[in-house]
Amino acid sequence: MRLVSYQAESGPRVAGWREGRYVDLHQADQGLACSMKELLVQADREPQRLERALARAPLLPEGLRLLPPVADPEKIICVGLNYADHARESGAAAPEEPVLFSKFPSALAAHEQPIVLPALSAEVDFEAELVVVIGRAGRRIPRQDAYQHVAGYCCGHDVSARDWQLRKPGKQWLLGKTFDTFAPCGPALVTRDEVPRPGNLRIQFRLNGQTLQDSNTDQLIFPIDELVAYVSRVCTLKPGDLIFTGTPSGVGFARKPPIFLRAGDRAEVEIDEVGLLANPVVAE
């Protein structure tokens, strides 16, 4: 199932995808939640209920204003240096444990929402990523049970101000990664059952139609189940939490000469079986 959050007159709502059109699940079953986080809890408990609602939900008009699939996650957890090919191009050894940082929820942006280049940075880079959406809460999750806590997947874009991340005093990893709009995500949450092999998906980034990243999630150093288990040793994962799983080789700062995002660009992240996330780039 493919689920999106969209802006209705009454507020954010969740729609499903059926036969090439969006349908409103709450209109078909008013017992279903309107918010994605609450709906994920219901879907974990009663998966067939969503399927029944999807089958009879009314069609929505075209041209919906999409929101990030989870517009209000409690946590956005990101993994650095998690692709073998990206570690090599960065001149770094493969880490022995996952390298984690975070973004604020205010960094989220929806499909087709502009990425805003801050006036404070001249080196804004791109990173195509597979995003894991947590569907079931858990702490100290055994690795063998990790996928039971995954609701599904989205395309993600870890936009990064490299001058802040790499050259500010103390290296401002958090601030360099979490300017507003620096976490585009979407367009849809694709449920786990529709992506049976998340460790073998082609992942690409295109800038103005030119492919700059082209790899496969089989390059992940720490696979999804290991990441879920590792993070849950430290904090309780909640429904709607997002894990950006890392980016492959081809990022802008590692190129000679470097390539950074500029106003007027169009950035696209495409992942097999998950979808295509597109965002225009504008100046602040």
Side-chain angles (χ1 to χ4, degrees), residues 80-96 99 173 221 253-254:
L81 290 175
N82 197 31
Y83 277 72
D85 54 5
H86 179 49
R88 287 193 297 270
E89 77 171 352
S90 300
E96 296 182 1
V99 177
W173 267 74
I221 297 169
F253 87 96

PDB file of all heavy atoms in Angstrom, residues 80-96 99 173 221 253-254:
ATOM      1  N   GLY A  80      25.457   8.359   9.050  1.00  0.00           N
ATOM      2  CA  GLY A  80      26.548   8.827   8.209  1.00  0.00           C
ATOM      3  C   GLY A  80      27.454   7.689   7.777  1.00  0.00           C
ATOM      4  O   GLY A  80      27.571   6.674   8.476  1.00  0.00           O
ATOM      5  N   LEU A  81      28.077   7.852   6.628  1.00  0.00           N
ATOM      6  CA  LEU A  81      29.066   6.878   6.118  1.00  0.00           C
ATOM      7  C   LEU A  81      28.537   5.451   6.172  1.00  0.00           C
ATOM      8  O   LEU A  81      29.201   4.544   6.668  1.00  0.00           O
ATOM      9  CB  LEU A  81      30.372   6.984   6.920  1.00  0.00           C
ATOM     10  CG  LEU A  81      31.199   8.251   6.714  1.00  0.00           C
ATOM     11  CD1 LEU A  81      32.390   8.262   7.654  1.00  0.00           C
ATOM     12  CD2 LEU A  81      31.651   8.393   5.270  1.00  0.00           C
ATOM     13  N   ASN A  82      27.344   5.248   5.627  1.00  0.00           N
ATOM     14  CA  ASN A  82      26.748   3.916   5.698  1.00  0.00           C
ATOM     15  C   ASN A  82      26.729   3.188   4.360  1.00  0.00           C
ATOM     16  O   ASN A  82      26.129   2.127   4.250  1.00  0.00           O
ATOM     17  CB  ASN A  82      25.324   3.990   6.265  1.00  0.00           C
ATOM     18  CG  ASN A  82      24.848   2.632   6.743  1.00  0.00           C
ATOM     19  OD1 ASN A  82      25.640   1.793   7.188  1.00  0.00           O
ATOM     20  ND2 ASN A  82      23.553   2.385   6.650  1.00  0.00           N
ATOM     21  N   TYR A  83      27.348   3.764   3.336  1.00  0.00           N
ATOM     22  CA  TYR A  83      27.524   3.070   2.065  1.00  0.00           C
ATOM     23  C   TYR A  83      29.015   2.861   1.840  1.00  0.00           C
ATOM     24  O   TYR A  83      29.815   3.797   1.993  1.00  0.00           O
ATOM     25  CB  TYR A  83      26.952   3.874   0.902  1.00  0.00           C
ATOM     26  CG  TYR A  83      25.464   3.714   0.694  1.00  0.00           C
ATOM     27  CD1 TYR A  83      24.555   4.275   1.586  1.00  0.00           C
ATOM     28  CD2 TYR A  83      24.965   3.007  -0.396  1.00  0.00           C
ATOM     29  CE1 TYR A  83      23.189   4.142   1.392  1.00  0.00           C
ATOM     30  CE2 TYR A  83      23.599   2.871  -0.592  1.00  0.00           C
ATOM     31  CZ  TYR A  83      22.712   3.430   0.292  1.00  0.00           C
ATOM     32  OH  TYR A  83      21.362   3.287   0.109  1.00  0.00           O
ATOM     33  N   ALA A  84      29.397   1.655   1.468  1.00  0.00           N
ATOM     34  CA  ALA A  84      30.812   1.349   1.266  1.00  0.00           C
ATOM     35  C   ALA A  84      31.419   2.255   0.202  1.00  0.00           C
ATOM     36  O   ALA A  84      32.545   2.756   0.358  1.00  0.00           O
ATOM     37  CB  ALA A  84      30.974  -0.119   0.891  1.00  0.00           C
ATOM     38  N   ASP A  85      30.673   2.504  -0.893  1.00  0.00           N
ATOM     39  CA  ASP A  85      31.228   3.337  -1.961  1.00  0.00           C
ATOM     40  C   ASP A  85      31.372   4.794  -1.515  1.00  0.00           C
ATOM     41  O   ASP A  85      32.303   5.486  -1.901  1.00  0.00           O
ATOM     42  CB  ASP A  85      30.410   3.214  -3.251  1.00  0.00           C
ATOM     43  CG  ASP A  85      28.921   3.486  -3.083  1.00  0.00           C
ATOM     44  OD1 ASP A  85      28.488   3.879  -1.981  1.00  0.00           O
ATOM     45  OD2 ASP A  85      28.178   3.299  -4.076  1.00  0.00           O
ATOM     46  N   HIS A  86      30.456   5.294  -0.666  1.00  0.00           N
ATOM     47  CA  HIS A  86      30.557   6.674  -0.175  1.00  0.00           C
ATOM     48  C   HIS A  86      31.711   6.816   0.815  1.00  0.00           C
ATOM     49  O   HIS A  86      32.409   7.846   0.827  1.00  0.00           O
ATOM     50  CB  HIS A  86      29.244   7.087   0.476  1.00  0.00           C
ATOM     51  CG  HIS A  86      29.245   8.471   1.044  1.00  0.00           C
ATOM     52  ND1 HIS A  86      29.686   9.573   0.340  1.00  0.00           N
ATOM     53  CD2 HIS A  86      28.862   8.947   2.263  1.00  0.00           C
ATOM     54  CE1 HIS A  86      29.568  10.657   1.093  1.00  0.00           C
ATOM     55  NE2 HIS A  86      29.074  10.297   2.267  1.00  0.00           N
ATOM     56  N   ALA A  87      31.925   5.811   1.666  1.00  0.00           N
ATOM     57  CA  ALA A  87      33.054   5.861   2.593  1.00  0.00           C
ATOM     58  C   ALA A  87      34.373   5.947   1.814  1.00  0.00           C
ATOM     59  O   ALA A  87      35.270   6.724   2.166  1.00  0.00           O
ATOM     60  CB  ALA A  87      33.045   4.638   3.509  1.00  0.00           C
ATOM     61  N   ARG A  88      34.468   5.176   0.728  1.00  0.00           N
ATOM     62  CA  ARG A  88      35.691   5.213  -0.076  1.00  0.00           C
ATOM     63  C   ARG A  88      35.912   6.582  -0.698  1.00  0.00           C
ATOM     64  O   ARG A  88      37.027   7.116  -0.672  1.00  0.00           O
ATOM     65  CB  ARG A  88      35.640   4.132  -1.161  1.00  0.00           C
ATOM     66  CG  ARG A  88      35.822   2.713  -0.644  1.00  0.00           C
ATOM     67  CD  ARG A  88      36.066   1.734  -1.780  1.00  0.00           C
ATOM     68  NE  ARG A  88      34.937   1.651  -2.701  1.00  0.00           N
ATOM     69  CZ  ARG A  88      33.925   0.799  -2.572  1.00  0.00           C
ATOM     70  NH1 ARG A  88      33.903  -0.043  -1.537  1.00  0.00           N
ATOM     71  NH2 ARG A  88      32.945   0.770  -3.452  1.00  0.00           N
ATOM     72  N   GLU A  89      34.845   7.197  -1.270  1.00  0.00           N
ATOM     73  CA  GLU A  89      35.037   8.492  -1.929  1.00  0.00           C
ATOM     74  C   GLU A  89      35.333   9.591  -0.904  1.00  0.00           C
ATOM     75  O   GLU A  89      35.932  10.606  -1.249  1.00  0.00           O
ATOM     76  CB  GLU A  89      33.819   8.855  -2.769  1.00  0.00           C
ATOM     77  CG  GLU A  89      32.624   9.359  -1.988  1.00  0.00           C
ATOM     78  CD  GLU A  89      31.509   9.919  -2.871  1.00  0.00           C
ATOM     79  OE1 GLU A  89      31.727  10.058  -4.083  1.00  0.00           O
ATOM     80  OE2 GLU A  89      30.419  10.192  -2.318  1.00  0.00           O
ATOM     81  N   SER A  90      34.899   9.407   0.340  1.00  0.00           N
ATOM     82  CA  SER A  90      35.158  10.386   1.393  1.00  0.00           C
ATOM     83  C   SER A  90      36.539  10.206   2.017  1.00  0.00           C
ATOM     84  O   SER A  90      36.943  11.002   2.866  1.00  0.00           O
ATOM     85  CB  SER A  90      34.086  10.276   2.488  1.00  0.00           C
ATOM     86  OG  SER A  90      32.800  10.509   1.952  1.00  0.00           O
ATOM     87  N   GLY A  91      37.235   9.152   1.626  1.00  0.00           N
ATOM     88  CA  GLY A  91      38.552   8.874   2.191  1.00  0.00           C
ATOM     89  C   GLY A  91      38.501   8.399   3.621  1.00  0.00           C
ATOM     90  O   GLY A  91      39.463   8.558   4.370  1.00  0.00           O
ATOM     91  N   ALA A  92      37.362   7.809   4.017  1.00  0.00           N
ATOM     92  CA  ALA A  92      37.178   7.358   5.399  1.00  0.00           C
ATOM     93  C   ALA A  92      37.098   5.834   5.449  1.00  0.00           C
ATOM     94  O   ALA A  92      36.587   5.196   4.520  1.00  0.00           O
ATOM     95  CB  ALA A  92      35.911   7.962   5.990  1.00  0.00           C
ATOM     96  N   ALA A  93      37.588   5.280   6.529  1.00  0.00           N
ATOM     97  CA  ALA A  93      37.435   3.848   6.742  1.00  0.00           C
ATOM     98  C   ALA A  93      35.987   3.546   7.097  1.00  0.00           C
ATOM     99  O   ALA A  93      35.284   4.374   7.691  1.00  0.00           O
ATOM    100  CB  ALA A  93      38.363   3.389   7.868  1.00  0.00           C
ATOM    101  N   ALA A  94      35.537   2.357   6.720  1.00  0.00           N
ATOM    102  CA  ALA A  94      34.185   1.947   7.087  1.00  0.00           C
ATOM    103  C   ALA A  94      34.067   1.926   8.608  1.00  0.00           C
ATOM    104  O   ALA A  94      34.915   1.347   9.294  1.00  0.00           O
ATOM    105  CB  ALA A  94      33.876   0.575   6.512  1.00  0.00           C
ATOM    106  N   PRO A  95      33.056   2.556   9.178  1.00  0.00           N
ATOM    107  CA  PRO A  95      32.934   2.607  10.646  1.00  0.00           C
ATOM    108  C   PRO A  95      32.641   1.233  11.229  1.00  0.00           C
ATOM    109  O   PRO A  95      32.031   0.380  10.581  1.00  0.00           O
ATOM    110  CB  PRO A  95      31.769   3.573  10.868  1.00  0.00           C
ATOM    111  CG  PRO A  95      30.991   3.539   9.599  1.00  0.00           C
ATOM    112  CD  PRO A  95      31.962   3.286   8.502  1.00  0.00           C
ATOM    113  N   GLU A  96      33.075   1.029  12.465  1.00  0.00           N
ATOM    114  CA  GLU A  96      32.822  -0.240  13.147  1.00  0.00           C
ATOM    115  C   GLU A  96      31.418  -0.292  13.736  1.00  0.00           C
ATOM    116  O   GLU A  96      30.888  -1.380  13.966  1.00  0.00           O
ATOM    117  CB  GLU A  96      33.866  -0.456  14.245  1.00  0.00           C
ATOM    118  CG  GLU A  96      35.285  -0.596  13.703  1.00  0.00           C
ATOM    119  CD  GLU A  96      36.298  -0.855  14.807  1.00  0.00           C
ATOM    120  OE1 GLU A  96      35.884  -0.942  15.979  1.00  0.00           O
ATOM    121  OE2 GLU A  96      37.501  -0.953  14.488  1.00  0.00           O
ATOM    122  N   VAL A  99      27.325   5.514  12.564  1.00  0.00           N
ATOM    123  CA  VAL A  99      27.589   6.909  12.910  1.00  0.00           C
ATOM    124  C   VAL A  99      26.275   7.656  12.791  1.00  0.00           C
ATOM    125  O   VAL A  99      25.711   7.775  11.706  1.00  0.00           O
ATOM    126  CB  VAL A  99      28.642   7.515  11.965  1.00  0.00           C
ATOM    127  CG1 VAL A  99      28.851   8.995  12.289  1.00  0.00           C
ATOM    128  CG2 VAL A  99      29.953   6.746  12.057  1.00  0.00           C
ATOM    129  N   TRP A 173      27.843  19.535  12.704  1.00  0.00           N
ATOM    130  CA  TRP A 173      27.105  18.503  11.985  1.00  0.00           C
ATOM    131  C   TRP A 173      25.600  18.729  12.090  1.00  0.00           C
ATOM    132  O   TRP A 173      24.886  18.696  11.090  1.00  0.00           O
ATOM    133  CB  TRP A 173      27.456  17.117  12.544  1.00  0.00           C
ATOM    134  CG  TRP A 173      28.559  16.453  11.809  1.00  0.00           C
ATOM    135  CD1 TRP A 173      29.878  16.759  11.865  1.00  0.00           C
ATOM    136  CD2 TRP A 173      28.431  15.362  10.880  1.00  0.00           C
ATOM    137  NE1 TRP A 173      30.588  15.920  11.044  1.00  0.00           N
ATOM    138  CE2 TRP A 173      29.730  15.057  10.431  1.00  0.00           C
ATOM    139  CE3 TRP A 173      27.358  14.604  10.416  1.00  0.00           C
ATOM    140  CZ2 TRP A 173      29.981  14.026   9.518  1.00  0.00           C
ATOM    141  CZ3 TRP A 173      27.612  13.588   9.512  1.00  0.00           C
ATOM    142  CH2 TRP A 173      28.898  13.310   9.069  1.00  0.00           C
ATOM    143  N   ILE A 221      26.517  -0.529   4.667  1.00  0.00           N
ATOM    144  CA  ILE A 221      27.436  -1.185   5.606  1.00  0.00           C
ATOM    145  C   ILE A 221      26.644  -1.788   6.760  1.00  0.00           C
ATOM    146  O   ILE A 221      26.883  -2.928   7.166  1.00  0.00           O
ATOM    147  CB  ILE A 221      28.479  -0.168   6.114  1.00  0.00           C
ATOM    148  CG1 ILE A 221      29.344   0.330   4.946  1.00  0.00           C
ATOM    149  CG2 ILE A 221      29.358  -0.794   7.208  1.00  0.00           C
ATOM    150  CD1 ILE A 221      30.222   1.522   5.306  1.00  0.00           C
ATOM    151  N   PHE A 253      30.382  17.396  -2.757  1.00  0.00           N
ATOM    152  CA  PHE A 253      31.647  17.907  -2.214  1.00  0.00           C
ATOM    153  C   PHE A 253      32.822  17.011  -2.566  1.00  0.00           C
ATOM    154  O   PHE A 253      33.975  17.466  -2.562  1.00  0.00           O
ATOM    155  CB  PHE A 253      31.549  18.104  -0.694  1.00  0.00           C
ATOM    156  CG  PHE A 253      31.866  16.885   0.126  1.00  0.00           C
ATOM    157  CD1 PHE A 253      33.134  16.685   0.650  1.00  0.00           C
ATOM    158  CD2 PHE A 253      30.887  15.928   0.384  1.00  0.00           C
ATOM    159  CE1 PHE A 253      33.428  15.569   1.422  1.00  0.00           C
ATOM    160  CE2 PHE A 253      31.169  14.823   1.152  1.00  0.00           C
ATOM    161  CZ  PHE A 253      32.447  14.634   1.668  1.00  0.00           C
ATOM    162  N   ALA A 254      32.569  15.733  -2.896  1.00  0.00           N
ATOM    163  CA  ALA A 254      33.646  14.808  -3.226  1.00  0.00           C
ATOM    164  C   ALA A 254      34.056  14.878  -4.693  1.00  0.00           C
ATOM    165  O   ALA A 254      35.029  14.237  -5.101  1.00  0.00           O
ATOM    166  CB  ALA A 254      33.222  13.378  -2.876  1.00  0.00           C
TER     167      ALA A 254
END
